[in-house]
Amino acid sequence: MTNLPSTSRHELDACFLGPYGENDTLLEKLVVEFLRDHVYWRRNFHPEDPPAIPTRAAHAPGYLDFEAKLRRELHQLSAALKKSVPFHSPRYLGHMVSDLLLPGLAAQILTLPYNPNNVSEDAAPVTVDLEVQVGLQLARMLGYPHDPSRADCAFGHLTSGGTVANYQALRMALALKAFPVALRAAQVPDVALPEDDWTAFNLAPAAGIELLEHWQAWLAAQPVSARRRWQASVEAQRLEQLGIAGFFAAHPQLRVPKVLAPITAHYSWSKGLKLLGLGRAQLQLLPERDMRLDLDALETMLETCEREKQPVLMAVAVLGTTEYGTVDPVDGAVDARDRFAARGLGFSVHVDGAWGGYLATLFRNADGSLRSLEDVRRGFEAFPAPEVYAAFAALGRTDSVTVDPHKLGYLPYGAGAFICRDHRATALLSEHADYVFHDATPDAYLARYRSLGQFILEGSKPGAMAAAAYVTHKVLPLDHGGFGRLQAQTIVAAEAFDRRARRFADEMSATLHALVPFAADSNLVCLALNPAGNRDLTRANAFVRRLHDELRSDPRQPLQSREFFGSVTTLRPEALGEAEMERILRVLQIDPATLGGDQDDRLLILRHTLMNPYLIDRENGISYIDRYFEFLARRVRALLAQASPG
Ligand SMILES: Cc1ncc(COP(=O)(O)O)c(C=O)c1O
C-alpha cells in the first residue's frame, strides 16, 4: 500500500502464508509450539495416569503396518490435492476466495485437537464465549449496539456460510412478524395488544421487539403456575407450533408474506423460502437501476403490497452482489422500511453482506465511530461512490446482516455469520421458550448464549472456527487501521484493474471491442468482450466461453498449464434494464436484435475477484494485473488467428 508507513507494511507481510509459502517458518513454529502445548495439556490432566499406549508400541509390526498404510493414504491425498485450485496465487482472479490469514489458520489448527463443539458451553467452555465475542466484534464493525450491558445489544453467531446465515435471517424475521398475532390469539391480558391481526402481523421489527419485552416483563411478574399456563397458551398459537398451513388457516385475513430482493440476489434466498415452507413464489425479485436495487421499484412494490393487503416479511439489500460486487442502497431500503411501518406495513431489512460485509471496516474508526466520506476516500481514486458510502453508513439502522468470514475475511471455509441488531428477538428462536429472560448485564448476555445450540440452525458446530475468527479480529481489529488495510488493498487493486482494462480496450481496439460495463462499486471488476467485426451476440458469447476455457480450473490439465484463473458471469436485460443493456451492446458493436434467442438471452462476460493481497507485488516490481492483460491480449490474438487462419 502506497499510503502505509513501512512498519505497517511489514506487519502485513506476516498476515498470510504467502503465494510462495514465504511465511512457512512462522506457521510451522506456531503449529509445532501449540501442538506440543496441547500434548502437555493432555499429560497434565491427570499425570498420575500412565500412558495407555505403550512406548514400545511404535516398534511393533502391527503399528508399523498401520503407520505405513496411513502414510500411503496421506501421500495419495496430498498428491491429489495438488490439483486444487491455487487460491493463494495472485494469478487467481476467479471466485470469492484467496490466501488464508495466518492468525486464523494458526488459531484454527491450534484449537482443532481440543475439538470444542460450540453447540453449548458443556462441550466448548472456551470457544462458545469466543463465538459470542465474534458476534459483538462484527456488530461493532456494522455500527450495531455492541455493549452487552445494553438491553438492545446486538447478537451474532457463526454459521457454515452465507447461505445458512440468510436462512437464519428469514427465520428470525418470520418469528418476530408472527409472534404478535400469537399473543392476540392467546388473548393475553394486561399487555397492550395490536387491535387486529393485520396490525399485529405488520408491526415494525422494533415495535415487535417492544411488544415481546412487555409480554416478557408481564410474564415474569406472574406466579409460577400462571406463568407456565400463559407461556403454553402463547406457544400453542405460534406459527412455529402450528406450521404455515395451520397458522394462516387460523388467521384467514392474513396472507403468506413476501420477501423483496433485487434480481441479482444470491440463490440462497430462493432456497431459504423453499426451506421455510413460504414457497419460492413469495420471493419477489425487483429490478435494478445502475446495477443497484431500484428504490422506485421497491416503493412501487410496497405500495402494491399495501393496497392488496399483501404482507412483506423483509426487504433484502445486497452489499456486494455475487456476480458484480455492486452495493444496493441500504439507506434507501431502511428509509422505506420506516416510512411504510408508519403506514402500517412493517417489515425488516436484511443486508446480505456475505461478500462485501468486511468492507465495512474501511468505514470505521478505531473508536468504533463512522469515518467521513473524505476520510474513507483518502488513498483511493474514486472509492467509495457517495451512494456506496451512504449504504455502508446505514448498516447500523438495518435489522440484520450476513457476513462471510470465509470470503473477504480470508478465513478457511465453513465460516459465515449472522448478526441481528437487537438480540432480544432471539427469544423467539430458542428451542426451549425462555421468555422470562430479560436481565441486561454482560454476564447474563453471555450466560444466555452459552447455550448457542438453542438459537441457531445447526446443532454441533466447530469451536475451532470461532477461535479462528476471534483471534483474527483481535490481531486485525475490524476498523480501517486494522482489517481495513487488507480491504483497502483489494480496492486499490480493483481501481488499478479498472484503469488497466480501459487501456487494454484502447490498445486492442483494432482487434477487439472491450468494455468495463459499469464502474465497480467494490472489488469485483467485469470485462465485456467482442471480436472486432462481429455483430452477433451468440458468436461473442462463444468467443468469451473459449477464452474462459483457458481461465477455469480443469483437473485433467496440469495446474501449471494455466497462466491465470478467472470466472464468468452474464449481463441480462432483466437485471440491467433494456436501455443499459443496449448501451453496452452498442459499445461492443453487437447488434441488439441478436439478443433474445433460446440460449443467448444474455451476454457472457469475464468476472474478476480482486482480493489477493499480492496482485501488486511491490517487492519484485510485478503487477499481476498487467501480466493478466498481457496474457489476455496474447490469447485473444491467438484465438482470433485460429478462427481465421491466413
Ligand atoms: C451475496 C451472497 N450471499 C450469499 C452467498 C452464499 O454464501 P455461502 O456460499 O457462504 O453459503 C454468497 C456466495 O457467494 C453471496 O455472494
Side-chain angles (χ1 to χ4, degrees), residues 490-507:
T490 73
I491 301 291
V492 168
E495 291 189 333
F497 191 94
D498 183 275
R499 272 196 311 277
R500 187 62 184 83
R502 288 170 205 274
R503 209 174 92 210
F504 171 81
D506 285 346
E507 288 166 0

Side-chain angles (χ1 to χ4, degrees), residues 75-322:
H75 277 295
Q76 280 187 7
L77 171 67
S78 180
L81 285 171
K82 302 297 178 290
K83 288 185 181 162
S84 297
V85 185
F87 298 141
H88 60 275
S89 168
R91 291 170 179 270
Y92 183 80
L93 313 172
H95 295 284
M96 299 167 150
V97 53
S98 181
D99 203 355
L100 296 173
L101 274 171
L102 261 184
L105 197 55
Q108 193 173 9
I109 296 173
L110 187 170
T111 312
L112 276 175
Y114 296 88
N115 198 24
N117 175 357
N118 272 17
V119 69
S120 76
E121 69 172 332
D122 281 357
V126 178
T127 52
V128 83
D129 278 11
L130 298 187
E131 181 153 348
V132 179
Q133 295 299 336
V134 167
L136 294 170
Q137 291 168 330
L138 291 169
R140 185 177 192 271
M141 171 184 87
L142 299 168
Y144 282 169
H146 54 274
D147 173 0
S149 61
R150 270 180 67 161
D152 64 346
C153 182
F155 166 68
H157 62 85
L158 295 173
T159 57
S160 64
T163 299
V164 173
N166 287 344
Y167 297 167
Q168 180 76 328
L170 285 168
R171 194 166 81 104
M172 178 175 275
L174 188 60
L176 195 54
K177 195 167 186 60
F179 184 69
V181 179
L183 282 186
R184 271 181 47 79
Q187 298 178 350
V188 177
D190 303 326
V191 178
L193 294 173
E195 63 206 25
D196 54 32
D197 275 359
W198 169 262
T199 314
F201 201 50
N202 287 287
L203 293 181
I209 292 173
E210 203 178 312
L211 184 60
L212 173 63
E213 275 270 288
H214 287 155
W215 147 250
Q216 286 176 318
W218 177 81
L219 201 61
Q222 303 307 306
V224 175
S225 60
R227 190 188 300 167
R228 287 214 185 100
R229 211 174 49 248
W230 280 112
Q231 189 156 322
S233 48
V234 170
E235 273 301 294
Q237 298 297 333
R238 289 190 58 193
L239 182 145
E240 287 77 0
Q241 177 68 25
L242 298 172
I244 301 273
F247 181 84
F248 286 99
H251 304 283
Q253 58 281 60
L254 300 180
R255 287 159 69 179
V256 181
K258 285 206 181 288
V259 171
L260 313 182
I263 193 155
T264 46
H266 187 260
Y267 68 103
S268 50
W269 290 102
S270 150
K271 285 183 6 186
L273 275 128
K274 285 193 284 179
L275 188 76
L276 252 72
L278 296 172
R280 221 168 17 191
Q282 311 324 316
L283 181 61
Q284 185 71 53
L285 295 178
L286 299 175
E288 309 245 321
R289 189 190 295 161
D290 295 336
M291 303 307 291
R292 304 187 185 119
L293 171 68
D294 182 347
L295 287 175
D296 289 341
L298 175 65
E299 188 85 9
T300 308
M301 180 54 64
L302 289 169
E303 278 167 358
T304 308
C305 290
E306 186 183 37
R307 209 171 38 247
E308 296 178 354
K309 292 252 166 204
Q310 167 60 61
V312 176
L313 179 60
M314 71 164 52
V316 178
V318 186
L319 200 79
T321 52
T322 317

Side-chain angles (χ1 to χ4, degrees), residues 6 10 35 52 97 139 262 275 284 304 327 401 432 439:
S6 62
H10 290 140
L35 181 63
V97 53
L275 188 76
Q284 185 71 53
T304 308
V327 172
V401 178
H432 297 306
D439 180 4

